[in-house]
């Protein structure tokens, strides 16, 4: 059987927007996931889960994803509990998405619990940082992750929950897998032999994996967890395997992960050339333009500049530099005039 770079046999990938799944009437909750992702999560707890372990979610925010998971459990009258973890600490940008009376630093667990009130008896909620989680709840049937976005936090998450993940049973959903600034998820998972990518949620950012072997000894391949140390060759092999099987609409979302990865691994000229030479589609340009207004811009300035994007900050710097040059030349001219007069 042919294998890919991690030695895994290629699998059949389901790519769907799950429009055949009808959601029941759900409490409207502000959130960061799409309608197709809500349908997928509901489908997972109603139709895939079968009380073979716990359902665990890390990164609930106000509970848009949690509501879908809980509704699926309720629809099946499941016995299994939904364990929710989040640090429930309000950030300034959260107010751009949800108009609640909360300020940066506030505890938003009470707001989360109000939104989830109809399902309260099905849930166990823990306010904690991901790194502090101690899992003692036995086997996990479904693990939904929307907090780890980097190699280090992904590794930490798998160390915490690894022993409870059951090969042949557990599924793991990675929200933001297709969001290219979180490319470290896709890169590391491509090299992890115990997980197999099986579902891509179209019109969303989520991708699900099956656990196919014990998630143990994840430390044995140390390079795996340091994607910034990969050679350009290793990066290209991984990204071919990541991108090629994806439907075009999903590939468009994740494709810039390759130049981002090359850049972080120090292959700067290649990353810049790739950004410059690629025929990005309008939706990708729009995403780059949005990101150029955020803090990400300063970390990846040459990549943004390669697609013709400068930020307000660059304009400000350039204006200050020009003003400084004008001031110096005026100073110089007035000095030489006064020297000549003397
Ligand atoms: C993208 S939001 C989740 C969105 C949510 N799933 C929805 O449906 O709208 C990410 C959440 O992860 C939480 N989070 C991020 N890093 C965390 C960490 N290290 N420990 C605990 N929670 C974390 C944040 O507080 C936030 O609520």
């Amino acid at each position: 059987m042919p294998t890919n770079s991690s030695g895994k046999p290629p699998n059949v990938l389901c790519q769907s927007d799950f429009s055949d799944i009808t959601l029941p009437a759900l409490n409207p909750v502000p959130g960061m996931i799409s309608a197709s992702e809500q349908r997928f999560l509901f489908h997972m707890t109603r139709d895939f889960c079968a009380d073979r372990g716990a359902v665990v979610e890390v990164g609930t925010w106000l509970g848009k994803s949690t509501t879908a998971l809980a509704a699926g459990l309720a629809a099946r009258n499941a016995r299994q509990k939904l364990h929710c973890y989040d640090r429930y600490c309000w950030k300034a940008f959260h107010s751009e998405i949800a108009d609640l009376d909360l300020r940066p630093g506030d505890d938003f667990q009470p707001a989360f619990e109000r939104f989830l009130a109809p399902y309260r008896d099905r849930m166990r909620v823990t306010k904690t940082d991901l790194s502090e989680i101690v899992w003692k709840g036995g086997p996990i049937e479904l693990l939904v992750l929307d907090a780890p976005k980097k190699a280090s936090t992904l590794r930490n998450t798998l160390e915490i929950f690894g022993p409870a993940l059951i090969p042949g049973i557990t599924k793991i959903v990675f929200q933001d897998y297709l969001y290219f600034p979180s490319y470290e998820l896709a890169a590391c998972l491509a090299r992890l032999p115990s997980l197999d990518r099986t579902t891509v949620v179209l019109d969303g950012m989520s991708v699900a994996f099956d656990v196919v072997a014990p998630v143990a000894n994840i430390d044995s391949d140390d390079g795996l967890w340091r994607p910034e140390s990969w050679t350009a060759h290793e990066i290209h092999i991984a990204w071919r395997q990541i991108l090629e099987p994806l439907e075009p609409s999903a590939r468009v979302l994740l494709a810039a992960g390759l130049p981002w990865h090359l850049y972080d691994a120090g292959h700067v000229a290649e990353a810049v050339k790739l950004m410059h030479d690629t025929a990005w589609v309008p939706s990708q340009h729009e995403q780059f333009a949005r990101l150029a207004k955020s803090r990400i811009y300063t970390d990846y300035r040459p990549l943004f500049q390669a697609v013709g994007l400068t930020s307000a900050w660059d304009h400000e710097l350039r204006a200050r530099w020009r003003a400084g040059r004008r001031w110096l030349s005026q100073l110089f001219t007035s000095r030489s005039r006064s020297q000549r007069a003397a």
Side-chain angles (χ1 to χ4, degrees):
M1 188 184 284
T3 58
N4 55 35
S5 68
S6 67
K8 301 179 198 177
N11 51 39
V12 179
L13 194 53
C14 160
Q15 306 195 59
S16 168
D17 65 0
F18 296 90
S19 50
D20 54 325
I21 302 293
T22 307
L23 284 174
L26 298 177
N27 239 1
V29 182
M32 308 188 193
I33 64 166
S34 69
S36 62
E37 288 170 306
Q38 268 207 310
R39 290 192 293 270
F40 171 65
L41 294 176
F42 172 77
H43 166 58
M44 291 303 283
T45 47
R46 186 190 63 177
D47 307 323
F48 158 73
C49 290
D51 293 333
R52 292 169 293 184
V55 178
V56 177
E57 184 183 22
V58 186
T60 67
W61 199 46
L62 291 168
K64 186 169 180 182
S65 44
T66 322
T67 305
L69 292 166
L73 292 177
R76 187 169 47 81
N77 201 14
R79 290 194 307 278
Q80 62 200 148
K81 295 286 177 209
L82 171 54
H83 299 257
C84 299
Y85 296 93
D86 200 296
R87 53 185 171 211
Y88 296 113
C89 177
W90 197 253
K91 296 270 169 76
F93 81 92
H94 291 164
S95 299
E96 292 164 21
I97 309 168
D99 185 17
L100 300 179
D101 188 18
L102 289 164
R103 273 168 250 292
D106 283 355
D107 176 1
F108 65 88
Q109 186 176 343
F112 168 76
E113 295 199 358
R114 269 197 305 279
F115 283 122
L116 268 297
Y119 308 107
R120 201 59 200 87
D121 56 340
R122 299 192 175 275
M123 296 167 52
R124 301 279 178 272
V125 184
T126 309
K127 176 179 162 67
T128 177
D129 193 88
L130 160 58
S131 57
E132 307 285 316
I133 296 174
V134 179
W135 175 253
K136 289 189 179 155
I140 294 174
E141 191 172 28
L142 178 65
L143 178 60
V144 180
L145 301 174
D146 200 357
K149 311 285 176 183
K150 293 267 177 202
S152 54
T153 44
L154 173 61
R155 178 186 199 167
N156 196 201
T157 308
L158 294 178
E159 279 166 352
I160 292 165
F161 294 108
L165 307 178
I166 314 302
I169 292 184
T170 310
K171 281 190 193 285
I172 310 181
V173 181
F174 294 92
Q175 162 64 24
D176 270 354
Y177 175 101
L178 294 175
Y179 179 60
F180 81 82
S182 305
Y183 75 84
E184 290 187 18
L185 293 180
C188 294
L189 291 168
R191 274 177 60 167
L192 199 63
S194 41
L195 301 186
D196 238 5
R197 190 173 66 170
T198 46
T199 311
V200 175
V201 183
L202 301 178
D203 294 337
M205 296 281 178
S206 297
V207 166
F209 282 68
D210 284 0
V211 174
V212 294
V215 183
N217 296 327
I218 56 169
D219 289 344
S220 59
D221 178 0
D222 197 44
L224 185 163
W225 301 110
R226 289 184 293 106
E228 74 285 359
S229 71
W230 298 8
T231 64
H233 181 65
E234 286 172 324
I235 294 172
H236 280 288
I237 289 182
W239 281 90
R240 203 168 306 128
Q241 179 194 322
I242 292 164
L243 294 175
E244 271 177 12
L246 296 178
E247 287 266 331
S249 66
R251 196 180 315 133
V252 153
L253 296 173
L254 188 54
L258 170 57
W260 244 241
H261 190 169
L262 286 165
Y263 185 81
D264 282 341
H267 313 294
V268 174
E270 191 179 348
V272 169
K273 184 169 170 12
L274 189 60
M275 281 300 279
H276 181 266
D277 293 353
T278 302
W280 304 106
V281 299
S283 65
Q284 290 169 314
H285 273 293
E286 282 157 24
Q287 194 183 18
F288 296 149
R290 271 195 306 278
L291 289 169
K293 293 186 189 129
S294 75
R295 275 182 320 169
I296 293 178
Y297 180 84
T298 45
D299 292 336
Y300 296 93
R301 182 182 280 108
L303 300 189
F304 286 106
Q305 288 173 338
V307 289
L309 287 165
T310 50
S311 81
W313 199 76
D314 273 354
H315 291 303
E316 170 83 14
L317 258 190
R318 211 169 293 144
R320 281 183 191 203
W321 186 71
R322 278 202 206 105
R325 241 185 21 179
R326 252 195 322 272
W327 180 79
L328 272 178
S329 82
Q330 277 163 3
L331 186 74
F332 183 74
T333 323
S334 64
R335 267 209 192 145
S336 43
R337 262 198 216 121
S338 48
Q339 273 167 1
R340 273 203 302 274

